[in-house]
């Protein structure tokens, strides 16, 4: 993981843990360091994690590695100026799927974390139903099994949301990403935590990060910082 401590913080600051995309099989944390500009100058720590890639590691191993990173961050972020009681998570594409997995309450128990360890979630352009992936060229290398599709599709199983949730995507993304995001919002809706859908204007699957999450003036960055208590 790459850790970017908050700048000019007067005390422990909130922590944003980010999980990158790449359809679980490519990219790495170093490529997403640009996100620090959207958080670090405003008193937040950013943690960008890596995870073992498919197909060498199966989906269960990917999810477990992200749980380990979440647990480590919760238990160690104070050493770098972060507040473990204000830990937030976000991710894009495959990372959007992985934060959805982490924010399911039973996942926190598996990570041996308290139920309120995550204080807010932002799932960006996520994949919440893996079945369509099996019908795409991506599966030529992923080789998702029916058991993996069933176990790791949060849209198609009982889901117990552990924190407030922002489901977001670029407004110019494909129909399937819109369908899954809209369906996941409905699937997660309950009375305990707020769940919202944000379609970011004039952005797509790539620019929703570079031109939205990383940009302090963008509605997405501001929504996430507001969730973190950094904006009113």
């Amino acid at each position: 993981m790459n850790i970017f401590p908050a700048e000019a913080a007067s005390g422990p600051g909130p922590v944003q843990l980010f999980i990158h995309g790449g359809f679980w099989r490519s990219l790495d944390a170093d490529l997403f360091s640009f996100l620090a500009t959207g958080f670090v100058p405003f008193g937040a720590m950013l943690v960008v994690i890596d995870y073992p890639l498919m197909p060498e590691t199966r989906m269960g191993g990917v999810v477990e590695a992200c749980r380990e990173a979440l647990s480590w961050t919760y238990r160690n972020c104070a050493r770098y100026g972060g507040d473990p009681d204000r830990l937030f998570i976000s991710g894009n594409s495959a990372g959007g799927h992985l934060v959805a997995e982490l924010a399911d309450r039973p996942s926190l128990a598996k990570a041996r974390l308290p139920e309120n360890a995550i204080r807010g979630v932002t799932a960006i352009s996520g994949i919440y139903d893996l079945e369509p992936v099996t019908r795409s060229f991506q599966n030529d290398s992923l080789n998702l099994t029916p058991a993996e599709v069933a176990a790791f599709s949060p849209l198609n199983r009982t889901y117990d949301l552990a924190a407030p949730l922002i489901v977001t995507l670029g407004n110019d993304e494909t129909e399937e990403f819109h369908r899954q995001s809209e369906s996941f919002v409905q699937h997660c809706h309950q009375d305990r935590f707020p769940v919202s859908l944000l379609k970011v204007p004039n952005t797509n699957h790539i620019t929703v990060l570079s031109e939205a999450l990383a940009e302090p003036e963008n509605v997405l960055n501001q929504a996430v910082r507001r969730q973190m208590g950094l904006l009113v």
Side-chain angles (χ1 to χ4, degrees):
M1 61 177 65
N2 292 332
I3 299 173
F4 302 87
E7 293 177 359
S10 57
V15 180
Q16 183 69 236
L17 182 150
F18 180 82
I19 307 178
H20 70 78
F23 277 91
W24 308 278
R25 62 178 178 79
S26 64
L27 307 183
D28 60 65
D30 289 349
L31 298 173
F32 296 85
S33 298
F34 65 88
L35 294 173
T37 60
F39 298 97
V40 169
F42 303 97
M45 173 188 291
L46 177 69
V47 177
V48 185
I49 70 166
D50 267 329
Y51 49 86
L53 300 177
M54 296 180 73
E56 288 80 9
T57 300
R58 299 313 307 163
M59 187 65 77
V62 173
V63 172
E64 180 58 30
C66 292
R67 282 197 197 104
E68 291 178 5
L70 176 68
S71 179
W72 188 95
T73 301
Y74 178 80
R75 302 182 195 286
N76 293 277
C77 65
R79 294 162 50 192
Y80 304 89
D83 183 353
D85 292 328
R86 291 186 288 166
L87 175 58
F88 300 79
I89 63 173
S90 58
N92 75 300
S93 193
H97 164 262
L98 292 168
V99 298
E101 290 290 339
L102 295 183
D104 194 1
R105 197 176 304 277
S107 188
L108 291 172
K110 291 177 181 177
R112 300 177 300 282
L113 291 172
E115 286 191 351
N116 64 349
I118 298 172
R119 297 307 175 104
V121 184
T122 304
I124 307 164
S125 307
I127 303 161
Y128 313 108
D129 176 4
L130 300 188
E131 191 280 329
V133 180
T134 67
R135 295 183 274 111
S136 77
F137 73 93
Q138 300 287 353
N139 206 45
D140 293 346
S141 58
L142 294 171
N143 297 313
L144 288 167
T145 67
E148 287 172 324
V149 170
F152 299 105
S153 291
L155 184 55
N156 298 328
R157 67 172 193 256
T158 300
Y159 191 83
D160 188 4
L161 180 63
L165 171 65
I166 301 169
V167 177
T168 184
L169 73 163
N171 197 55
D172 298 337
E173 300 212 39
T174 61
E175 180 180 349
E176 180 63 15
F177 282 103
H178 281 270
R179 181 192 73 80
Q180 292 212 19
S181 294
E182 292 164 2
S183 297
F184 191 55
V185 166
Q186 294 301 314
H187 189 58
C188 291
H189 183 74
Q190 32 65 18
D191 294 332
R192 186 172 184 182
F193 297 112
V195 179
S196 61
L197 176 64
L198 174 58
K199 297 186 178 184
V200 185
N202 304 313
T203 58
N204 57 36
H205 200 70
I206 304 300
T207 59
V208 72
L209 292 186
S210 59
E211 298 179 10
L213 186 62
E215 291 298 324
E217 300 303 315
N218 187 272
V219 62
L220 175 56
N221 177 277
Q222 292 183 0
V224 177
R225 284 193 287 131
R226 188 172 296 110
Q227 185 188 69
M228 300 176 74
L230 297 173
L231 277 178
V232 296

